[in-house]
Amino acid sequence: MNVISTEQLLEKIDAGEEISVIDVRESDEVATGIIPGAKHIALGQIENSMDQLDKSVPHYIVCKAGGRSAMACEILEENGYNVTNIAGGMIDWDGELQF
């Protein structure tokens, strides 16, 4: 499984790279702030929502600490998606938040 730190992801965003971030936390967690531009799909909805994701684009998957995003990465990888787990999740995120 591919892994990226929150610092590395923030560098990509700050450099202007167009990236796809998928936040797999629950709605109440997302209400406390989400990475700007991220798409919210709770882990329990990943399998039913894969048709919303472009297989030709790499996706960066985030949760609170990295565990649920790792599970989402496994599901998505098994279905042919190019995904990277964001280690440390939102606990380690020092960038801007969108509410």
Coordinates of all heavy atoms in Angstrom, one line a residue:
M1 N 0.8 -1.2 0.0 CA 0.0 0.0 0.0 C 0.9 1.3 0.0 O 1.9 1.3 0.7 CB -0.9 0.0 1.2 CG -1.7 1.2 1.5 SD -2.7 1.3 3.0 CE -3.4 -0.3 3.0
N2 N 0.6 2.2 -0.9 CA 1.3 3.5 -0.9 C 0.9 4.3 0.3 O -0.2 4.3 0.8 CB 0.9 4.3 -2.1 CG 1.3 3.5 -3.4 OD1 2.3 3.0 -3.5 ND2 0.4 3.6 -4.4
V3 N 1.9 5.0 0.9 CA 1.7 5.8 2.1 C 2.3 7.2 1.8 O 3.4 7.3 1.3 CB 2.2 5.2 3.3 CG1 2.1 6.0 4.5 CG2 1.6 3.8 3.6
I4 N 1.7 8.2 2.3 CA 2.2 9.6 2.2 C 2.0 10.3 3.6 O 1.0 10.0 4.3 CB 1.6 10.4 1.1 CG1 2.3 11.7 0.8 CG2 0.1 10.7 1.4 CD1 1.8 12.4 -0.4
S5 N 2.9 11.1 4.0 CA 2.7 11.8 5.3 C 1.8 13.1 5.0 O 1.7 13.5 3.9 CB 4.1 12.3 5.8 OG 4.6 13.3 5.0
T6 N 1.3 13.6 6.1 CA 0.5 14.8 5.9 C 1.3 15.9 5.4 O 0.9 16.8 4.6 CB -0.2 15.2 7.2 OG1 0.7 15.3 8.2 CG2 -1.3 14.1 7.6
E7 N 2.6 16.0 5.8 CA 3.5 17.0 5.4 C 3.7 16.9 3.9 O 3.7 18.0 3.2 CB 4.8 17.0 6.1 CG 4.7 17.3 7.6 CD 4.4 16.0 8.4 OE1 4.4 14.9 7.9 OE2 4.0 16.2 9.6
Q8 N 3.9 15.7 3.4 CA 4.2 15.5 1.9 C 2.9 15.9 1.1 O 3.0 16.5 0.1 CB 4.5 14.1 1.6 CG 5.9 13.7 2.2 CD 6.1 12.2 2.1 OE1 5.3 11.4 2.5 NE2 7.3 11.8 1.5
L9 N 1.7 15.6 1.6 CA 0.5 15.9 1.0 C 0.3 17.4 0.9 O 0.0 18.0 -0.1 CB -0.7 15.3 1.7 CG -2.1 15.6 1.0 CD1 -2.1 14.9 -0.4 CD2 -3.2 15.1 1.9
L10 N 0.6 18.1 2.0 CA 0.5 19.5 2.1 C 1.5 20.2 1.1 O 1.1 21.2 0.5 CB 0.8 20.0 3.5 CG 0.5 21.5 3.8 CD1 -0.9 21.9 3.4 CD2 0.8 21.8 5.3
E11 N 2.7 19.6 0.9 CA 3.6 20.2 0.0 C 3.0 20.1 -1.5 O 3.2 21.0 -2.3 CB 4.9 19.4 0.0 CG 5.8 19.7 1.2 CD 7.0 18.8 1.4 OE1 7.3 18.0 0.5 OE2 7.6 18.9 2.5
K12 N 2.4 19.0 -1.8 CA 1.8 18.8 -3.1 C 0.7 19.8 -3.3 O 0.6 20.4 -4.4 CB 1.2 17.4 -3.2 CG 2.2 16.3 -3.4 CD 1.5 14.9 -3.5 CE 2.5 13.9 -3.9 NZ 3.0 14.0 -5.2
I13 N -0.2 20.0 -2.3 CA -1.2 21.0 -2.4 C -0.7 22.4 -2.5 O -1.1 23.2 -3.4 CB -2.2 20.9 -1.1 CG1 -2.9 19.6 -1.2 CG2 -3.1 22.1 -1.1 CD1 -3.7 19.3 0.1
D14 N 0.3 22.8 -1.7 CA 1.0 24.1 -1.8 C 1.7 24.3 -3.1 O 1.8 25.5 -3.5 CB 2.0 24.3 -0.6 CG 1.3 24.4 0.8 OD1 0.0 24.7 0.8 OD2 2.0 24.3 1.8
A15 N 2.1 23.3 -3.7 CA 2.8 23.4 -5.0 C 1.8 23.5 -6.2 O 2.1 23.7 -7.3 CB 3.7 22.2 -5.3
G16 N 0.5 23.4 -5.8 CA -0.6 23.6 -6.8 C -1.0 22.4 -7.6 O -1.7 22.4 -8.6
E17 N -0.5 21.2 -7.1 CA -0.9 20.0 -7.8 C -2.3 19.7 -7.6 O -2.9 19.9 -6.5 CB -0.1 18.8 -7.2 CG 1.4 18.7 -7.6 CD 2.0 17.5 -7.1 OE1 1.4 16.4 -7.2 OE2 3.2 17.6 -6.7
E18 N -3.0 19.3 -8.6 CA -4.4 18.9 -8.6 C -4.5 17.5 -8.1 O -4.0 16.6 -8.8 CB -5.1 19.1 -9.9 CG -6.6 19.0 -9.8 CD -7.2 19.4 -11.1 OE1 -6.8 20.4 -11.8 OE2 -8.2 18.8 -11.5
I19 N -5.0 17.3 -6.9 CA -5.1 16.0 -6.3 C -6.5 15.7 -5.8 O -7.3 16.6 -5.6 CB -4.1 15.8 -5.1 CG1 -4.4 16.8 -4.0 CG2 -2.7 15.9 -5.6 CD1 -3.6 16.6 -2.8
S20 N -6.8 14.4 -5.7 CA -8.1 13.9 -5.2 C -7.9 13.4 -3.8 O -7.1 12.4 -3.6 CB -8.6 12.8 -6.2 OG -9.7 12.2 -5.6
V21 N -8.5 14.0 -2.9 CA -8.5 13.5 -1.5 C -9.9 13.0 -1.1 O -10.8 13.7 -1.3 CB -8.0 14.7 -0.5 CG1 -8.1 14.2 0.9 CG2 -6.7 15.2 -0.8
I22 N -9.9 11.8 -0.6 CA -11.1 11.2 -0.1 C -11.1 11.0 1.4 O -10.2 10.4 1.9 CB -11.4 9.8 -0.8 CG1 -11.2 9.8 -2.3 CG2 -12.7 9.2 -0.3 CD1 -12.1 10.7 -3.0
D23 N -12.0 11.7 2.1 CA -12.1 11.6 3.6 C -13.1 10.5 3.9 O -14.3 10.7 3.6 CB -12.5 13.0 4.1 CG -12.3 13.1 5.6 OD1 -12.6 12.1 6.3 OD2 -11.9 14.2 6.1
V24 N -12.6 9.5 4.6 CA -13.5 8.4 5.0 C -14.0 8.4 6.4 O -14.6 7.4 6.9 CB -12.8 7.0 4.7 CG1 -12.5 6.9 3.2 CG2 -11.6 6.8 5.5
R25 N -13.9 9.6 7.1 CA -14.5 9.7 8.4 C -16.0 9.8 8.4 O -16.6 10.0 7.3 CB -13.9 10.9 9.1 CG -12.4 10.9 9.3 CD -11.8 12.1 9.9 NE -12.0 13.3 9.0 CZ -12.1 14.5 9.4 NH1 -12.0 14.9 10.6 NH2 -12.3 15.5 8.5
E26 N -16.6 9.7 9.5 CA -18.0 9.8 9.7 C -18.4 11.3 9.6 O -17.6 12.2 9.8 CB -18.5 9.2 11.0 CG -18.3 7.7 11.1 CD -19.1 6.9 10.1 OE1 -20.2 7.3 9.7 OE2 -18.5 5.9 9.6
S27 N -19.7 11.6 9.3 CA -20.2 12.9 9.0 C -19.9 13.9 10.2 O -19.5 15.0 10.0 CB -21.7 12.9 8.7 OG -21.9 12.3 7.5
D28 N -20.1 13.4 11.5 CA -19.8 14.2 12.6 C -18.4 14.6 12.7 O -18.0 15.7 13.2 CB -20.3 13.6 13.9 CG -19.7 12.2 14.2 OD1 -19.4 11.5 13.3 OD2 -19.5 12.0 15.4
E29 N -17.5 13.7 12.3 CA -16.0 14.1 12.3 C -15.7 15.1 11.2 O -14.9 16.0 11.5 CB -15.2 12.8 12.1 CG -15.3 11.8 13.2 CD -14.6 10.5 12.8 OE1 -15.1 9.7 12.0 OE2 -13.6 10.2 13.4
V30 N -16.3 14.9 10.1 CA -16.0 15.8 9.0 C -16.5 17.2 9.3 O -16.0 18.2 8.9 CB -16.7 15.3 7.7 CG1 -16.6 16.3 6.5 CG2 -15.9 14.0 7.2
A31 N -17.6 17.3 10.1 CA -18.1 18.6 10.5 C -17.1 19.5 11.3 O -17.2 20.7 11.4 CB -19.4 18.4 11.3
T32 N -16.1 18.8 11.9 CA -15.0 19.5 12.6 C -14.0 20.1 11.7 O -13.1 20.8 12.1 CB -14.4 18.6 13.7 OG1 -13.6 17.6 13.0 CG2 -15.4 18.1 14.6
G33 N -14.1 19.8 10.4 CA -13.1 20.3 9.4 C -12.6 19.2 8.5 O -12.5 18.1 8.9
I34 N -12.4 19.6 7.2 CA -12.0 18.7 6.2 C -10.9 19.4 5.3 O -10.9 20.6 5.3 CB -13.2 18.3 5.3 CG1 -12.9 17.1 4.3 CG2 -13.8 19.5 4.6 CD1 -14.1 16.5 3.6
I35 N -10.0 18.6 4.7 CA -9.0 19.2 3.9 C -9.8 19.8 2.7 O -10.6 19.2 2.1 CB -8.1 18.1 3.3 CG1 -7.3 17.5 4.5 CG2 -7.1 18.6 2.3 CD1 -6.5 16.2 4.2
P36 N -9.4 21.1 2.4 CA -10.1 21.8 1.3 C -10.1 21.0 0.0 O -9.1 20.5 -0.4 CB -9.4 23.1 1.2 CG -8.8 23.4 2.5 CD -8.4 22.0 3.0
G37 N -11.3 20.9 -0.6 CA -11.4 20.2 -1.8 C -11.6 18.7 -1.7 O -11.9 18.0 -2.7
A38 N -11.5 18.1 -0.5 CA -11.7 16.7 -0.3 C -13.1 16.3 -0.5 O -14.0 17.1 -0.2 CB -11.2 16.3 1.1
K39 N -13.3 15.1 -0.9 CA -14.6 14.5 -1.1 C -14.9 13.6 0.1 O -14.0 12.8 0.5 CB -14.7 13.7 -2.4 CG -16.0 13.1 -2.7 CD -15.9 12.3 -4.0 CE -17.2 11.8 -4.5 NZ -18.0 12.8 -5.1
H40 N -16.1 13.7 0.7 CA -16.4 12.9 1.9 C -17.2 11.7 1.4 O -18.3 11.8 0.9 CB -17.2 13.7 2.9 CG -17.7 12.9 4.0 ND1 -19.0 12.9 4.4 CD2 -17.1 12.0 4.9 CE1 -19.2 12.0 5.4 NE2 -18.0 11.5 5.7
I41 N -16.6 10.5 1.7 CA -17.3 9.2 1.5 C -16.9 8.4 2.8 O -15.8 7.9 2.9 CB -16.9 8.5 0.2 CG1 -17.1 9.3 -1.0 CG2 -17.6 7.2 0.1 CD1 -16.5 8.7 -2.3
A42 N -17.8 8.2 3.7 CA -17.5 7.4 4.9 C -17.1 6.0 4.5 O -17.5 5.5 3.5 CB -18.8 7.4 5.8
L43 N -16.2 5.5 5.4 CA -15.7 4.1 5.1 C -16.8 3.1 4.8 O -16.7 2.3 3.8 CB -14.9 3.6 6.3 CG -14.3 2.2 6.2 CD1 -13.4 2.1 5.0 CD2 -13.6 1.8 7.5
G44 N -17.9 3.2 5.5 CA -19.0 2.2 5.3 C -19.7 2.4 4.0 O -20.4 1.5 3.6
Q45 N -19.4 3.5 3.3 CA -20.1 3.7 2.0 C -19.1 3.6 0.8 O -19.5 3.7 -0.3 CB -20.6 5.2 2.0 CG -21.7 5.4 3.0 CD -22.9 4.5 2.9 OE1 -23.4 4.2 1.7 NE2 -23.3 3.8 3.9
I46 N -17.9 3.3 1.1 CA -16.9 3.2 0.0 C -17.3 2.2 -1.1 O -17.2 2.5 -2.3 CB -15.5 2.8 0.6 CG1 -14.8 4.1 1.2 CG2 -14.5 2.2 -0.5 CD1 -14.4 5.1 0.3
E47 N -17.6 1.0 -0.7 CA -18.0 0.0 -1.7 C -19.1 0.4 -2.6 O -19.2 0.1 -3.8 CB -18.2 -1.4 -1.1 CG -16.9 -2.0 -0.5 CD -17.1 -3.4 0.0 OE1 -17.1 -4.3 -0.8 OE2 -17.3 -3.5 1.2
N48 N -20.1 1.1 -2.0 CA -21.3 1.5 -2.8 C -21.1 2.8 -3.5 O -21.9 3.2 -4.3 CB -22.5 1.7 -1.8 CG -22.9 0.4 -1.2 OD1 -22.8 -0.7 -1.8 ND2 -23.4 0.4 0.0
S49 N -19.9 3.5 -3.3 CA -19.7 4.8 -3.9 C -18.5 4.8 -4.9 O -18.1 5.8 -5.3 CB -19.4 5.8 -2.8 OG -20.5 5.9 -1.9
M50 N -18.0 3.6 -5.1 CA -16.8 3.6 -6.0 C -17.1 4.2 -7.4 O -16.2 4.7 -8.0 CB -16.3 2.2 -6.1 CG -15.6 1.7 -4.9 SD -14.7 0.1 -5.1 CE -16.0 -1.0 -4.7
D51 N -18.3 4.1 -7.8 CA -18.7 4.6 -9.2 C -18.5 6.2 -9.2 O -18.4 6.7 -10.3 CB -20.1 4.2 -9.6 CG -21.1 4.7 -8.6 OD1 -20.8 5.0 -7.5 OD2 -22.3 4.9 -9.1
Q52 N -18.4 6.8 -8.1 CA -18.1 8.3 -8.0 C -16.7 8.6 -8.2 O -16.3 9.8 -8.3 CB -18.6 8.8 -6.7 CG -20.1 8.7 -6.4 CD -20.4 9.2 -5.0 OE1 -19.8 10.1 -4.5 NE2 -21.5 8.6 -4.4
L53 N -15.8 7.6 -8.2 CA -14.3 7.9 -8.3 C -13.8 7.5 -9.6 O -14.1 6.4 -10.2 CB -13.6 7.1 -7.2 CG -14.1 7.3 -5.7 CD1 -13.4 6.4 -4.8 CD2 -13.9 8.8 -5.4
D54 N -12.9 8.3 -10.1 CA -12.3 8.1 -11.4 C -11.1 7.2 -11.3 O -10.2 7.5 -10.5 CB -11.9 9.5 -12.0 CG -11.3 9.4 -13.4 OD1 -10.9 8.3 -13.9 OD2 -11.1 10.5 -14.0
K55 N -11.1 6.0 -11.9 CA -10.0 5.1 -11.8 C -8.7 5.6 -12.4 O -7.6 5.1 -12.1 CB -10.4 3.7 -12.4 CG -11.2 2.8 -11.5 CD -11.3 1.5 -12.1 CE -12.1 0.6 -11.2 NZ -12.2 -0.8 -11.6
S56 N -8.8 6.6 -13.3 CA -7.6 7.0 -14.0 C -6.8 8.1 -13.1 O -5.8 8.5 -13.6 CB -8.0 7.6 -15.3 OG -8.7 8.8 -15.2
V57 N -7.4 8.5 -12.0 CA -6.8 9.5 -11.2 C -6.3 8.9 -9.8 O -7.0 8.1 -9.2 CB -7.9 10.6 -10.8 CG1 -7.3 11.6 -9.9 CG2 -8.3 11.2 -12.1
P58 N -5.1 9.2 -9.4 CA -4.7 8.7 -8.1 C -5.5 9.5 -7.0 O -5.8 10.6 -7.1 CB -3.2 9.1 -8.0 CG -2.9 10.0 -9.1 CD -4.1 10.0 -10.1
H59 N -5.9 8.7 -5.9 CA -6.6 9.2 -4.8 C -5.8 9.1 -3.5 O -5.2 8.1 -3.3 CB -8.0 8.5 -4.7 CG -8.8 8.6 -5.9 ND1 -9.6 9.7 -6.2 CD2 -9.0 7.6 -6.9 CE1 -10.2 9.4 -7.4 NE2 -9.9 8.2 -7.8
Y60 N -5.9 10.1 -2.7 CA -5.3 10.1 -1.4 C -6.4 10.0 -0.4 O -7.4 10.8 -0.4 CB -4.5 11.4 -1.2 CG -3.4 11.6 -2.1 CD1 -3.5 12.2 -3.4 CD2 -2.1 11.1 -1.8 CE1 -2.5 12.3 -4.3 CE2 -1.0 11.2 -2.7 CZ -1.3 11.8 -4.0 OH -0.2 11.9 -4.9
I61 N -6.3 9.0 0.5 CA -7.3 8.6 1.4 C -7.0 9.0 2.9 O -5.9 8.7 3.3 CB -7.6 7.1 1.4 CG1 -7.7 6.6 -0.1 CG2 -8.9 6.8 2.1 CD1 -8.8 7.2 -0.9
V62 N -7.9 9.7 3.5 CA -7.6 10.2 4.9 C -8.7 9.8 5.8 O -9.9 9.7 5.4 CB -7.4 11.8 4.9 CG1 -8.7 12.5 4.6 CG2 -6.8 12.2 6.2
C63 N -8.4 9.6 7.1 CA -9.3 9.5 8.2 C -8.8 10.2 9.4 O -8.0 11.1 9.2 CB -9.6 8.0 8.5 SG -8.2 7.1 9.2
K64 N -9.2 9.9 10.6 CA -8.7 10.6 11.7 C -7.2 10.3 12.0 O -6.4 11.2 12.2 CB -9.5 10.2 13.0 CG -9.1 10.9 14.2 CD -10.0 10.6 15.4 CE -9.6 11.4 16.6 NZ -10.5 11.1 17.8
A65 N -6.8 9.0 12.0 CA -5.4 8.7 12.3 C -4.7 7.8 11.3 O -3.5 7.7 11.3 CB -5.4 8.0 13.7
G66 N -5.4 7.2 10.4 CA -4.8 6.3 9.4 C -5.3 4.9 9.3 O -5.0 4.2 8.3
G67 N -6.0 4.4 10.3 CA -6.5 3.1 10.3 C -7.7 2.8 9.3 O -7.6 1.9 8.5
R68 N -8.7 3.7 9.4 CA -9.8 3.5 8.5 C -9.4 3.8 7.0 O -9.9 3.1 6.1 CB -11.0 4.4 8.9 CG -11.7 3.9 10.1 CD -12.8 4.8 10.6 NE -12.2 6.0 11.2 CZ -12.8 7.0 11.6 NH1 -14.1 7.1 11.5 NH2 -12.2 8.0 12.2
S69 N -8.5 4.8 6.9 CA -8.1 5.1 5.5 C -7.3 3.9 4.9 O -7.4 3.6 3.7 CB -7.3 6.4 5.4 OG -6.2 6.3 6.3
A70 N -6.6 3.2 5.7 CA -5.9 2.0 5.3 C -6.8 0.9 4.8 O -6.6 0.3 3.8 CB -4.9 1.4 6.4
M71 N -7.9 0.8 5.6 CA -9.0 -0.2 5.2 C -9.6 0.2 3.8 O -9.8 -0.6 3.0 CB -10.0 -0.3 6.3 CG -9.6 -1.1 7.5 SD -10.9 -1.4 8.6 CE -10.8 0.0 9.7
A72 N -9.9 1.5 3.7 CA -10.5 2.0 2.5 C -9.5 1.8 1.3 O -9.9 1.4 0.2 CB -10.8 3.5 2.6
C73 N -8.2 2.0 1.5 CA -7.2 1.8 0.5 C -7.2 0.3 0.0 O -7.2 0.0 -1.2 CB -5.8 2.2 1.0 SG -5.5 3.9 1.0
E74 N -7.3 -0.6 1.0 CA -7.4 -2.0 0.6 C -8.6 -2.3 -0.3 O -8.4 -3.0 -1.3 CB -7.4 -2.9 1.9 CG -6.1 -2.9 2.6 CD -6.2 -3.8 3.9 OE1 -7.1 -4.6 4.0 OE2 -5.3 -3.6 4.7
I75 N -9.7 -1.8 0.1 CA -10.9 -2.1 -0.7 C -10.8 -1.5 -2.1 O -11.1 -2.1 -3.1 CB -12.2 -1.4 0.0 CG1 -12.5 -2.2 1.3 CG2 -13.4 -1.4 -0.9 CD1 -13.4 -1.5 2.2
L76 N -10.3 -0.2 -2.2 CA -10.2 0.4 -3.5 C -9.1 -0.2 -4.3 O -9.3 -0.4 -5.5 CB -9.9 1.9 -3.3 CG -11.1 2.7 -2.7 CD1 -10.7 4.1 -2.2 CD2 -12.3 2.8 -3.7
E77 N -8.0 -0.6 -3.7 CA -6.9 -1.3 -4.5 C -7.4 -2.6 -5.1 O -7.1 -2.9 -6.2 CB -5.7 -1.5 -3.6 CG -4.8 -0.3 -3.4 CD -3.6 -0.6 -2.5 OE1 -3.6 -1.6 -1.7 OE2 -2.6 0.1 -2.7
E78 N -8.2 -3.3 -4.3 CA -8.7 -4.6 -4.8 C -9.6 -4.4 -6.0 O -9.9 -5.3 -6.8 CB -9.5 -5.3 -3.7 CG -8.6 -5.9 -2.6 CD -9.4 -6.4 -1.4 OE1 -10.6 -6.3 -1.4 OE2 -8.7 -6.8 -0.4
N79 N -10.2 -3.2 -6.1 CA -11.1 -2.9 -7.2 C -10.4 -2.0 -8.3 O -11.1 -1.4 -9.2 CB -12.3 -2.2 -6.7 CG -13.2 -3.2 -6.0 OD1 -14.0 -3.9 -6.6 ND2 -13.1 -3.2 -4.6
G80 N -9.1 -2.0 -8.3 CA -8.4 -1.4 -9.4 C -8.1 0.1 -9.3 O -7.7 0.8 -10.3
Y81 N -8.2 0.7 -8.1 CA -8.0 2.1 -8.0 C -6.5 2.4 -7.5 O -6.0 1.6 -6.8 CB -8.9 2.7 -6.9 CG -10.4 2.8 -7.4 CD1 -11.2 1.7 -7.3 CD2 -10.8 4.0 -8.0 CE1 -12.5 1.8 -7.8 CE2 -12.1 4.0 -8.5 CZ -13.0 2.9 -8.4 OH -14.2 3.0 -8.8
N82 N -6.0 3.5 -7.9 CA -4.6 3.9 -7.5 C -4.8 4.8 -6.3 O -5.3 5.9 -6.4 CB -4.0 4.7 -8.6 CG -2.6 5.2 -8.3 OD1 -2.1 5.1 -7.1 ND2 -2.0 5.9 -9.2
V83 N -4.5 4.3 -5.1 CA -4.7 5.0 -3.9 C -3.5 5.1 -3.0 O -2.6 4.2 -3.1 CB -5.9 4.4 -3.0 CG1 -7.2 4.5 -3.8 CG2 -5.6 2.9 -2.8
T84 N -3.5 6.1 -2.1 CA -2.4 6.3 -1.2 C -3.0 6.7 0.1 O -3.8 7.5 0.2 CB -1.4 7.4 -1.7 OG1 -0.9 7.1 -2.9 CG2 -0.3 7.7 -0.7
N85 N -2.5 6.0 1.2 CA -3.0 6.2 2.5 C -2.3 7.4 3.1 O -1.0 7.5 3.0 CB -2.8 5.0 3.4 CG -3.4 5.1 4.8 OD1 -4.4 5.8 5.0 ND2 -2.8 4.4 5.8
I86 N -3.0 8.3 3.7 CA -2.4 9.5 4.4 C -2.1 9.1 5.8 O -3.0 9.1 6.7 CB -3.3 10.7 4.3 CG1 -3.6 11.1 2.8 CG2 -2.6 11.9 5.0 CD1 -4.6 12.2 2.6
A87 N -0.8 8.8 6.1 CA -0.4 8.4 7.5 C -0.6 9.5 8.5 O -0.3 10.7 8.2 CB 1.1 8.0 7.4
G88 N -1.1 9.2 9.6 CA -1.3 10.2 10.7 C -2.7 10.9 10.6 O -3.1 11.5 11.5
G89 N -3.3 10.8 9.4 CA -4.6 11.4 9.2 C -4.8 12.8 9.6 O -3.9 13.6 9.7
M90 N -6.0 13.1 10.0 CA -6.4 14.5 10.4 C -5.7 14.9 11.7 O -5.6 16.1 11.9 CB -7.9 14.7 10.4 CG -8.6 14.5 9.1 SD -7.9 15.6 7.8 CE -8.6 17.2 8.4
I91 N -5.3 13.9 12.5 CA -4.6 14.3 13.8 C -3.3 15.0 13.4 O -3.0 15.9 14.1 CB -4.4 13.0 14.6 CG1 -5.7 12.5 15.2 CG2 -3.4 13.3 15.7 CD1 -5.5 11.1 15.9
D92 N -2.7 14.6 12.4 CA -1.4 15.2 12.0 C -1.5 16.3 11.0 O -0.5 17.0 10.7 CB -0.5 14.1 11.4 CG 0.1 13.2 12.4 OD1 -0.1 13.4 13.6 OD2 0.7 12.1 12.0
W93 N -2.7 16.6 10.5 CA -2.9 17.6 9.5 C -2.7 19.0 10.0 O -3.3 19.4 11.0 CB -4.3 17.5 8.9 CG -4.5 18.5 7.8 CD1 -5.3 19.6 7.9 CD2 -4.0 18.5 6.5 NE1 -5.3 20.3 6.7 CE2 -4.5 19.7 5.8 CE3 -3.1 17.7 5.8 CZ2 -4.2 20.0 4.5 CZ3 -2.8 18.0 4.5 CH2 -3.3 19.1 3.8
D94 N -1.7 19.7 9.5 CA -1.4 21.1 9.9 C -1.9 22.1 8.9 O -1.6 23.3 9.0 CB 0.1 21.3 10.2 CG 0.5 20.6 11.4 OD1 -0.3 20.5 12.4 OD2 1.7 20.2 11.5
G95 N -2.5 21.7 7.8 CA -2.9 22.6 6.8 C -4.3 23.3 7.0 O -4.9 23.1 8.1
E96 N -4.7 24.0 6.1 CA -6.0 24.7 6.2 C -7.2 23.7 6.3 O -7.1 22.5 5.8 CB -6.2 25.5 4.9 CG -7.4 26.4 4.8 CD -7.4 27.2 3.5 OE1 -6.4 27.4 2.9 OE2 -8.5 27.5 3.1
L97 N -8.3 24.1 6.9 CA -9.4 23.3 7.0 C -10.6 24.0 6.3 O -10.7 25.2 6.3 CB -9.8 22.9 8.4 CG -8.9 22.0 9.2 CD1 -9.3 21.9 10.6 CD2 -8.8 20.7 8.6
Q98 N -11.5 23.2 5.8 CA -12.7 23.7 5.2 C -13.9 23.2 6.1 O -13.9 22.1 6.5 CB -12.9 23.2 3.8 CG -14.1 23.5 3.1 CD -14.2 22.9 1.7 OE1 -13.1 22.8 1.0 NE2 -15.3 22.4 1.3
F99 N -14.8 24.1 6.4 CA -16.0 23.7 7.2 C -17.3 23.7 6.4 O -17.4 24.4 5.5 CB -16.1 24.6 8.4 CG -14.9 24.5 9.3 CD1 -13.8 25.4 9.2 CD2 -14.8 23.5 10.3 CE1 -12.7 25.3 10.0 CE2 -13.7 23.4 11.1 CZ -12.6 24.3 11.0

